[in-house]
Structures are given as structure tokens and as C-alpha cells.
């Protein structure tokens, strides 16, 4: 059973993913320990602050939460089809792994699909757990990883040292993305393995925690019956929202004005603890919006994008590759931060229109069709029913 609000939230998440991922293509210093020397104006720092405040570390959590929720929908689909769930999901995760590795080797070395495919196996193994236990596991994971980062940040601050600069890494990316297609592909494939390990360490526990929270929400049918959870949703917004925003301000300030410092490491730990609360607030606000008359139109507009989220995620990387790397125009490090941000809505609106157009005649996006074929082990219907 498809839920329009789940698809719409997934479509909204794609906007946040795009506005974060674009910096990995446009700025060779992004996620490094030194700031870009050409992005040093007050406006440049303000753009960086805003992006870190509202988007960075929030939207992969939203995608992870929706992955966990959709896992329960897959369970229901298998039950209705009279099919064994475990082999279906094993095939699905294997297909996701293949797509992720191809995506990472060719288009975006910091891709997260491969990580999702492996973490999904843990959720599969725990599919009989109760919603209450799933929430406890998620809380344990979030607290453990946050405390670890806070301890590391405190130790670095006490030591009085900063992280070593990575100018050579930025120079390598700049040369590769500013070169030809072969150089770009070589950079992606050459950095895939090490970046995957970094993602496991930095995002793995949090993503898995959100898987479990999404699983618990799915088992309780949160999005199918939001009226039954009004009190929980209200408390999440009123309590979690301010805490999440406060942590985001601390993190964004350090990311924009103290990149690579010990303070940023400490702030990252704070962000790991509070970002899920801000993400949850985005979910609550989205659900509230969708239930209004005008918000219903927004929900219907976003849903096709979310229904083809996998295809659009891959398409985002391809588009950014054409714009910023040797696959196309090679604009890496050539656009101001404000111009980079201005590119995002253009790509996003184009994807919205393309998704609506595609689903007029097709039941699935191309990547969704391929993944479903692997999941159910037969050829799904390609065209939409008229």
C-alpha cells in the first residue's frame, strides 16, 4: 500500500540531499579540514552557515527514517502477495548494493546506497523486534555515537591542536573534476572504498538508528493514522524542534567559521545528538502541511518525485557530474556559493516536472523498475494502467 505522504516526504528529502551533495561537486574543499580560500566573503560564510544549519546531517537521516518505514510496507506487500519476505529483501538489498557500487564508481564516490544495502540486512535480521525495542536500540545507537564524538572533540580541544589540512586532497579533486571524463571517473572509483569506510564511521550508526525509528513508526502505522499520534507529534515539534535547532546553530557556526578546528569536531558531536530531533520536526511539519488544503497540493506535487526517488537520486549525481566535473562543463570551484545554491531549485523543479511526465505512462522509475524486478524475481509491468 503506497502512502502519498511518505512519497511526498521522500520527494522533499531529495531537495535536502541535493542541496548538500552539490557541494561535494562544486567545492573541492567541502568536507575537508580547511576552508576554500576563494569562498571567504561574509556572504560566502552566510551561505555555508545556512546550508549547515538547515540541511547538512539532517536529510540523510530523513531518508534513513523513510527507508525503515518503507521496510514495513515491503513486509506488508510480501504478506499480501503470499511471498516469503526474507528472500525478497535479500535480493532487494543485493540489487541496491550493485546500484550503489556502480553509482559510486562512476558518478559520486560518497554515495550512500551501498551503506543502506548492508545496514538493511541488520534491519532484516531484526524484523521481528517490537516497536518499543526498536526505539530503544535507536536511542542507544544515537547516544553512543554522539558521546563518542563529544569525547573526541573534548580531547582535541584539551590538546589544543587542530586537524591536519588536506590541501592535497582538494587539489586532487580540483584536477580530476577540472580534467576529462577519465580523470573524473578515476577519482570516483579511486576514492570509493575509503569514502565508504568514512561513511560507515560517520553516518552508519545514525542511519541504522533512523532505520529502527522508521521501522517502529511503520509498525505503528504513523503515516497511515497520524491523527492517533497528535500528542506525540506535537511534543516532538515543541520539545525536539528547539533542541534540534539549537544544536544545528552550534554545528553550523563551527562549520562556517571554524572548519577543521577542534571546535568543529565537538560541534559535530552535538549535531549527531540533536540532528535527529530537527529531522523529526521536519517530518511533523510536513505531515501538518499536507493535511491543509494548500498543503495537499504540495503533497500531490512532491509525491511523484518521491515515488521515483531512487531514479532521481541517481539522476542528481549525473546532472551534477555534467555541470561540475570532467563529464561535462567542469565548473568545479568556478561558481560562487550563492550561485551554487541558485542551481539547486532549477535542478529540483526539472526533476519534479520530469517525474510527473514519466509517471503518466510508467508505473515505476527506471531504477525502481530494475530494483523491483530483482526483488520479486520477475519482470514488472513497465507501462502505467490507463
Amino acid at each position: 500500500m503506497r502512502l502519498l505522504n511518505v512519497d511526498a516526504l521522500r520527494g522533499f528529502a531529495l531537495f535536502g540531499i541535493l542541496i548538500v551533495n552539490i557541494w561535494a561537486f562544486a567545492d573541492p574543499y567541502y568536507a575537508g579540514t580547511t576552508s576554500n580560500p576563494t569562498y571567504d566573503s561574509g556572504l560566502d560564510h552566510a551561505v555555508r552557515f545556512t546550508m549547515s544549519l538547515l540541511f547538512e546531517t539532517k536529510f540523510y537521516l530523513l531518508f534513513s527514517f523513510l527507508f525503515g518505514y518503507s521496510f514495513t510496507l515491503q513486509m506488508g506487500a510480501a504478506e499480501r502477495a503470499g511471498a516469503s519476505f526474507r528472500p525478497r529483501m535479500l535480493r532487494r538489498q543485493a540489487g541496491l548494493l550493485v546500484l550503489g557500487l556502480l553509482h559510486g564508481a562512476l558518478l559520486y564516490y560518497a554515495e550512500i546506497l551501498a551503506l543502506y544495502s548492508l545496514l538493511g540486512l541488520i534491519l532484516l535480521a531484526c524484523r521481528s523486534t517490537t516497536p518499543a525495542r526498536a526505539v530503544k536500540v535507536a536511542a542507544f545507537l544515537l547516544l553512543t555515537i554522539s558521546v563518542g564524538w563529544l569525547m573526541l572533540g573534548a580531547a582535541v580541544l584539551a590538546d589544543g591542536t587542530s586537524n591536519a589540512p588536506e590541501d592535497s586532497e582538494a587539489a586532487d579533486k580540483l584536477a580530476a573534476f577540472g580534467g576529462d571524463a577519465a580523470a573524473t571517473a578515476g577519482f570516483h572509483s579511486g576514492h570509493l572504498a575509503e569514502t565508504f569506510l568514512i561513511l560507515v564511521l560517520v553516518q552508519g550508526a545514525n542511519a541504522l538508528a533512523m532505520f529502527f525509528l522508521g521501522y517502529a513508526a511503520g509498525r505503528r502505522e504513523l503515516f497511515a493514522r497520524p491523527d492517533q499520534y497528535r500528542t506525540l507529534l506535537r511534543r516532538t515539534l515543541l520539545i525536539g524542534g528547539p533542541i534540534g535547532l539549537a544544536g544545528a546553530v552550534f554545528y553550523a557556526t563551527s562549520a562556517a567559521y571554524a572548519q577543521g578546528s577542534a571546535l568543529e569536531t565537538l560541534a559535530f558531536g552535538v549535531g549527531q545528538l540533536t540532528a535527529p530531533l530537527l529531522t523529526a520536526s521536519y517530518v511533523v511539519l510536513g505531515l501538518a502541511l499536507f493535511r491543509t488544503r494548500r498543503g495537499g497540493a504540495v503533497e500531490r506535487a512532491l509525491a511523484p518525485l518521491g515515488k521515483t526517488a531512487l531514479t532521481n537520486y541517481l539522476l542528481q549525481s549525473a546532472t551534477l557530474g555534467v555541470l561540475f566535473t570532467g563529464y561535462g562543463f567542469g565548473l568545479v570551484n568556478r561558481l560562487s556559493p550563492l550561485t551554487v545554491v541558485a542551481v539547486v531549485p532549477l535542478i529540483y523543479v526539472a526533476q519534479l516536472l520530469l517525474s510527473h511526465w514519466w509517471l503518466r505512462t510508467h508505473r515505476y522509475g527506471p531504477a525502481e523498475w530494475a530494483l523491483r524486478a530483482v526483488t520479486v524475481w520477475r519482470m514488472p509491468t513497465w507501462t502505467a494502467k490507463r
Side-chain angles (χ1 to χ4, degrees), residues 16-40:
I17 294 295
L18 176 60
I19 204 170
V20 172
N21 285 356
I22 194 172
W23 296 99
F25 291 83
D27 180 6
Y29 291 84
Y30 179 71
T33 57
T34 54
S35 60
N36 192 327
T38 63
Y39 295 167
D40 203 33

Side-chain angles (χ1 to χ4, degrees), residues 16 41 61 69-71 77 125 135 166 174 227 239 250 279 302 305 307 310 317 324 337 350-351 366 375-377 382:
S41 71
L61 295 178
Y69 197 101
S70 297
F71 181 90
V135 170
E166 295 180 354
L174 184 59
D227 285 340
I239 299 175
F250 183 30
T279 299
L302 292 177
L305 187 63
K307 188 175 180 180
L310 179 57
S317 296
F324 293 103
Q351 287 192 295
T375 301
V376 300
W377 209 239
W382 176 249

Side-chain angles (χ1 to χ4, degrees), residues 125 147 205 299 304 357:
V147 169
E299 181 183 44
W357 171 79

Side-chain angles (χ1 to χ4, degrees), residues 55-75:
F55 300 99
E56 198 170 86
T57 74
K58 299 12 174 239
F59 279 82
Y60 87 90
L61 295 178
L62 177 54
F63 242 128
S64 301
F65 176 82
L66 295 173
F67 183 99
Y69 197 101
S70 297
F71 181 90
T72 64
L73 300 181
Q74 290 284 335
M75 292 174 65

Side-chain angles (χ1 to χ4, degrees), residues 231-373:
T231 300
L232 172 63
L233 295 175
R234 187 181 301 113
R235 289 176 179 173
T236 298
L237 183 61
L238 294 180
I239 299 175
I243 296 174
L245 188 60
V249 168
F250 183 30
Y251 169 71
T253 301
S254 67
Y257 302 102
Q259 185 174 343
S261 69
L263 180 63
E264 186 184 19
T265 303
L266 182 66
F268 184 77
V270 173
Q272 294 286 288
L273 185 62
T274 60
L277 297 174
L278 191 55
T279 299
S281 299
Y282 289 167
V283 172
V284 175
L285 289 173
L287 291 176
L289 172 66
F290 297 155
R291 294 176 68 80
T292 66
R293 182 174 61 85
R294 292 184 178 179
V298 173
E299 181 183 44
R300 291 188 296 274
L302 292 177
L305 187 63
K307 188 175 180 180
T308 55
L310 179 57
T311 295
N312 279 296
Y313 173 67
L314 300 175
L315 186 58
Q316 284 181 357
S317 296
T319 303
L320 296 176
V322 170
L323 289 175
F324 293 103
T325 78
Y327 289 145
F329 299 104
L331 295 178
V332 60
N333 211 38
R334 293 169 61 184
L335 301 183
S336 70
L338 191 61
T339 304
V340 171
V341 171
V343 170
V344 171
L346 298 178
I347 297 175
Y348 189 72
V349 170
Q351 287 192 295
L352 273 174
L353 296 175
L354 181 61
S355 298
H356 277 265
W357 171 79
W358 179 267
L359 289 177
R360 289 177 183 175
T361 54
H362 299 81
R363 294 188 64 181
Y364 311 101
E368 286 76 14
W369 183 90
L371 191 59
R372 180 168 178 79

Side-chain angles (χ1 to χ4, degrees), residues 102-144:
L102 290 173
H103 174 230
L106 297 175
L107 295 176
Y108 182 36
Y109 63 97
E111 76 90 32
I112 202 170
L113 296 178
L115 177 61
Y116 276 21
S117 70
L118 299 180
L119 294 179
L121 297 178
I122 299 177
L123 190 60
L124 178 61
C126 300
R127 64 188 181 279
S128 298
T129 193
T130 64
R133 183 175 293 276
V135 170
K136 291 178 182 178
V137 171
F140 173 79
L141 289 170
L142 291 172
L143 286 172
T144 300

